[in-house]
Amino acid sequence: MRLQKLSPLSPQRRRDIGAMAAVLLLLAVVLPLTLDAFRLNLVSKYLAFAFVAVGVVLTWGYGGVLSLGQGMFFGLGGYMMAMFLKLEASAPELPDFMVWSSVEQLPAWWQPFHSLGWTVVGILAVPAVLAYVFSYAIFKRRVSGVYFAIVTLSLALTLTVVVIGQQGDTGGANGITDFRTLLGLDIAGDDAKRVMYFIEVLAIALVMAVSLVIVRSRFGKILIAIRDREDRVRFSGYNTAHMKAFVFAVAAVLSSIGGAFYSLQVGLIAPGVIGVVASVEMVIYAAVGGRLSIPGAVIGALLIGFLKSYLSETFPEGWLYFLGAVFILVVWAMPNGLAGLGEKLLRRRHAETAP
């Protein structure tokens, strides 16, 4: 029997694998060896937003669908995980914010969150179903571009108002806080947070790998064609509304997973991560890292997260202006973000060294 030779990897595949390996080396080796427990926990917080940034790359960079409401799905995942943790922390009594609001019985929609298994199912399934049904109905009517962005922004704002207004069910403006265990195991200590950090790194590695497979597959090529000339793809017989809704649902699931990790690492979830400002920040992560780069989205989330923490401490009244200036600068001078700048420098260096 003759063995077939394996086809060599394309230059694009090699760049993808190299960039992903560099990001994982940074996350799994460099940062744990150089940062103390407090700083590493901050990285865990930033990494939770990297899941959202990867989803934004899929929808915006490759699908041409700009969503300014990814905070909705981030909040859904974060609240569902926090509900499970809060019920475990307060058992057999009601959560404290319900007692303060004179709630006498646990709401029926809280009941499934007594189980970690149902909580995980909810984190994965609820955002996927909601995102697909909502976006398919919109895309079927050929609503896209800035109009879709405005609709998602409005929904994020509406959900924020609803969450704040339902004090007895959601904790209101304070959110859900004060939980320290997961299945009886302490998650507040430094050792536990370190373990969760490596679990989070493993999860983001899996997400990057799956996302790269998607964008380099036949589906990814069709998605790019939809982004560039949707009318021609539609005339070729493809259901473009279904394909855009599918990738939007994938991004919603990634955002929800990020929200769940956020609740675990930070120890709280509040309406602030759902609102307009947070949702726009999530787009900036992808824009800075490179809206066509999966690994770049992770780097963008880490970089902007670090700058946000540093500048909000040093310049508490001016850091938002800086964030806006960064976004404008990237769109104007580096439309493909840091990843695009890096590729340009590598091509120039290769051209200079070529015989």
Side-chain angles (χ1 to χ4, degrees), residues 6-22 212 216 295 343 346 350:
L6 295 176
S7 58
L9 293 175
S10 66
Q12 183 62 58
R13 291 290 180 95
R14 289 198 296 269
R15 286 196 295 268
D16 290 341
I17 294 174
M20 181 175 166
L212 286 172
R216 303 306 175 200
E343 288 188 4
L346 285 176
H350 179 72

Side-chain angles (χ1 to χ4, degrees), residues 11-58:
Q12 183 62 58
R13 291 290 180 95
R14 289 198 296 269
R15 286 196 295 268
D16 290 341
I17 294 174
M20 181 175 166
V23 171
L24 293 179
L25 179 65
L26 173 69
L27 293 174
V29 179
V30 177
L31 294 181
L33 291 177
T34 57
L35 299 180
D36 57 27
F38 174 75
R39 295 297 176 185
L40 193 63
N41 189 44
L42 286 180
V43 175
S44 300
K45 176 182 173 181
Y46 310 149
L47 200 56
F49 292 102
F51 290 89
V52 192
V54 171
V56 172
V57 167
L58 293 177

Side-chain angles (χ1 to χ4, degrees), residues 63-257:
V65 178
L66 177 59
S67 170
L68 296 179
Q70 291 305 102
M72 293 185 295
F73 306 113
F74 187 87
L76 281 174
Y79 267 92
M80 283 188 278
M81 178 57 72
M83 289 161 68
F84 169 77
L85 297 173
K86 189 64 176 179
L87 287 175
E88 179 179 320
S90 58
E93 305 295 332
L94 290 174
D96 48 15
F97 62 84
M98 291 186 181
V99 175
W100 300 334
S101 301
S102 300
V103 175
E104 298 180 355
Q105 186 176 3
L106 190 71
W109 60 280
W110 271 72
Q111 295 294 343
F113 298 101
H114 281 291
S115 164
L116 179 59
W118 282 112
T119 300
V120 173
V121 170
I123 290 169
L124 299 177
V126 172
V129 172
L130 292 178
Y132 181 85
V133 171
F134 157 73
S135 60
Y136 184 79
I138 297 293
F139 295 141
K140 193 67 175 177
R141 291 167 174 78
R142 302 186 183 179
V143 176
S144 59
V146 67
Y147 301 103
F148 183 79
I150 291 173
V151 170
T152 55
L153 191 67
S154 301
L155 288 175
L157 180 59
T158 301
L159 184 58
T160 303
V161 174
V162 171
V163 169
I164 293 176
Q166 300 299 314
Q167 171 71 38
D169 291 339
T170 64
N174 296 323
I176 303 177
T177 62
D178 194 22
F179 38 80
R180 302 178 60 86
T181 61
L182 173 65
L183 298 178
L185 301 175
D186 179 33
I187 59 173
D190 291 342
D191 292 338
K193 287 187 178 296
R194 190 176 183 85
V195 171
M196 287 193 296
Y197 169 80
F198 283 106
I199 294 174
E200 193 173 8
V201 170
L202 181 62
I204 198 65
L206 179 61
V207 164
M208 284 195 293
V210 171
S211 299
L212 286 172
V213 169
I214 290 175
V215 300
R216 303 306 175 200
S217 67
R218 182 170 179 268
F219 173 81
K221 292 180 174 63
I222 297 173
L223 197 63
I224 294 173
I226 293 173
R227 178 196 67 192
D228 295 338
R229 289 301 300 268
E230 183 176 356
D231 53 347
R232 291 190 177 183
V233 179
R234 190 186 302 115
F235 292 151
S236 299
Y238 290 98
N239 186 342
T240 59
H242 165 70
M243 302 185 81
K244 291 197 295 184
F246 172 77
V247 76
F248 185 70
V250 171
V253 173
L254 297 184
S255 298
S256 181
I257 294 172

